[in-house]
Amino acid sequence: MKQSFVRIFVILSLILSLASFILSLFALYLPNWKYIQLRSTYTPNVLSEDQTMDPLIRGELDKYISILYRRDETHSFGLTTHCIVGGECGQNYLPSFSETNYRLCHHINYHHQCIFSNLLIINNNTKCTCQTPSYAKIIHTFLILLISLEIFFFSINILRLSRQQCNTFCFNDSLLRLFSLLSLLTSFIFLIIILIQFNSNRLVEPLYLFDSMRQHYSRIQIYTFTKDLELIIQQIENSLDIHIGASYICILIVLALIIISFFTSVTVEMKISSTSSTLSMNDEDEKRTNSILIQPTLSERFVPSEQIRFVRQTKV
């Protein structure tokens, strides 16, 4: 392949890596990974013909609908933010507490306070805490690593372009291509992990309240409550509309750009341009010429005095 086309390919990979870097920053900071809405048609159904819903569970469900996730209210989620579209924004936090503090910490008001209030309950803040969901922490960590790799890949391509006009010390292009390949493969793996984490945890936030209740009653072996909560979770899950947001789309675009960058950067070889090699050859020729000029000629060599013969002159 002509070096002019190789240079164009490497410049294209530079542009793609810069675009990937910007999109990754958008995905990191925008609160638009997903949108969740509880349908207006949702109504708590009777669990079975011969079994009514327990008043305790029914009370929690009514509070859930009236306080936390109202019908037709759209919630947007980022890695660190949780917003109501057209309303207030808060942190993407969930209540965190030990099993012994379940009755103290597990209620709708505390869940709402974790999201939309910076002031926690002062008396119970050592027992009831708020934490980011584990999947969001994992995605955040891998996104930071991905951005670092994108910066590294951008720097490698800059070195490859500068190498084309190299005169003295030049990096080996095969080594630079190897570094590019490793960074692209690692970035690809990180993106796959991010997508898997997101898709397998899309319903963590809206179902956390009832899922934690189900786990609690299962541990204390109240299986009737556990079965009721399993059915309620299934009903709510079927009544939620989930749409992907701009941040998720940015990650998909970054994945496509990384695949394209593989073909535009790693598969082409950047050689040192002929002008720089000609200059180096000219320098060598000039050095050789100078060395030849410095060497003494035969006439300038030293002759011993014993070998000097004077021509005899006669007077006229």
Side-chain angles (χ1 to χ4, degrees):
M1 184 182 291
K2 293 182 178 180
Q3 289 302 300
S4 58
F5 290 114
V6 172
R7 184 177 178 84
I8 292 173
F9 274 42
V10 175
I11 291 175
L12 179 60
S13 66
L14 272 174
I15 297 172
L16 293 177
S17 60
L18 182 60
S20 300
F21 173 76
I22 295 172
L23 291 174
S24 299
L25 289 178
F26 286 162
L28 182 63
Y29 293 108
L30 288 180
N32 304 113
W33 275 83
K34 59 187 175 185
Y35 296 94
I36 295 179
Q37 182 185 64
L38 185 64
R39 296 174 194 156
S40 59
T41 57
Y42 170 72
T43 54
N45 297 325
V46 178
L47 299 178
S48 64
E49 295 180 357
D50 57 347
Q51 181 184 0
T52 58
M53 189 181 298
D54 186 271
L56 175 64
I57 297 177
R58 181 55 187 259
E60 291 293 323
L61 182 57
D62 291 338
K63 292 177 183 177
Y64 175 87
I65 298 172
S66 62
I67 298 176
L68 210 54
Y69 287 89
R70 301 183 182 93
R71 296 181 181 92
D72 281 339
E73 188 177 67
T74 303
H75 295 249
S76 66
F77 293 86
L79 297 179
T80 57
T81 54
H82 177 175
C83 297
I84 298 174
V85 177
E88 58 183 339
C89 281
Q91 303 295 321
N92 188 12
Y93 284 162
L94 296 175
S96 177
F97 47 85
S98 63
E99 183 64 24
T100 56
N101 297 321
Y102 174 84
R103 295 187 180 277
L104 179 66
C105 304
H106 188 276
H107 52 83
I108 293 288
N109 291 331
Y110 189 78
H111 195 134
H112 187 271
Q113 189 177 18
C114 276
I115 300 171
F116 297 109
S117 177
N118 294 325
L119 300 175
L120 300 179
I121 301 175
I122 298 175
N123 295 330
N124 302 326
N125 60 358
T126 57
K127 298 179 180 179
C128 308
T129 59
C130 303
Q131 293 184 358
T132 305
S134 59
Y135 85 93
K137 292 180 181 178
I138 294 173
I139 292 177
H140 187 273
T141 300
F142 279 102
L143 260 179
I144 296 296
L145 294 175
L146 176 66
I147 291 172
S148 302
L149 284 174
E150 288 167 349
I151 296 173
F152 177 73
F153 180 72
F154 186 85
S155 303
I156 290 296
N157 284 324
I158 290 291
L159 288 176
R160 293 187 70 191
L161 284 177
S162 61
R163 179 184 178 277
Q164 195 177 28
Q165 302 298 328
C166 179
N167 293 327
T168 54
F169 177 74
C170 305
F171 289 98
N172 189 348
D173 190 64
S174 298
L175 183 62
L176 295 178
R177 288 166 63 194
L178 178 61
F179 286 149
S180 297
L181 176 62
L182 293 176
S183 64
L184 288 175
L185 287 178
T186 309
S187 299
F188 182 80
I189 294 172
F190 287 171
L191 285 169
I192 295 299
I193 293 174
I194 289 171
L195 293 175
I196 291 174
Q197 283 291 323
F198 174 79
N199 289 317
S200 58
N201 294 279
R202 290 190 299 173
L203 293 174
V204 166
E205 291 91 348
L207 297 180
Y208 176 81
L209 178 72
F210 294 108
D211 190 58
S212 59
M213 289 177 65
R214 180 188 61 79
Q215 293 176 13
H216 170 72
Y217 289 121
S218 177
R219 280 191 289 265
I220 63 177
Q221 299 181 354
I222 304 180
Y223 296 115
T224 54
F225 282 8
T226 302
K227 293 179 180 178
D228 293 349
L229 287 166
E230 288 176 353
L231 291 174
I232 290 173
I233 289 172
Q234 187 64 38
Q235 291 175 6
I236 294 176
E237 186 175 346
N238 295 332
S239 300
L240 289 173
D241 289 328
I242 304 174
H243 303 284
I244 60 174
S247 298
Y248 184 80
I249 295 173
C250 286
I251 292 298
L252 294 178
I253 296 174
V254 169
L255 180 63
L257 294 179
I258 284 178
I259 295 174
I260 299 173
S261 297
F262 172 81
F263 294 102
T264 58
S265 178
V266 179
T267 58
V268 295
E269 183 179 2
M270 179 76 71
K271 297 180 180 179
I272 299 176
S273 64
S274 58
T275 56
S276 59
S277 59
T278 304
L279 289 173
S280 60
M281 291 177 62
N282 291 337
D283 292 339
E284 292 179 359
D285 292 339
E286 186 177 353
K287 289 179 181 178
R288 290 176 184 174
T289 305
N290 292 335
S291 63
I292 292 172
L293 292 174
I294 292 173
Q295 291 179 359
T297 59
L298 292 173
S299 59
E300 295 174 349
R301 291 180 181 176
F302 175 74
V303 180
S305 59
E306 294 84 358
Q307 297 180 7
I308 298 176
R309 294 182 180 181
F310 298 95
V311 180
R312 187 176 182 179
Q313 297 179 356
T314 55
K315 286 187 177 182
V316 180

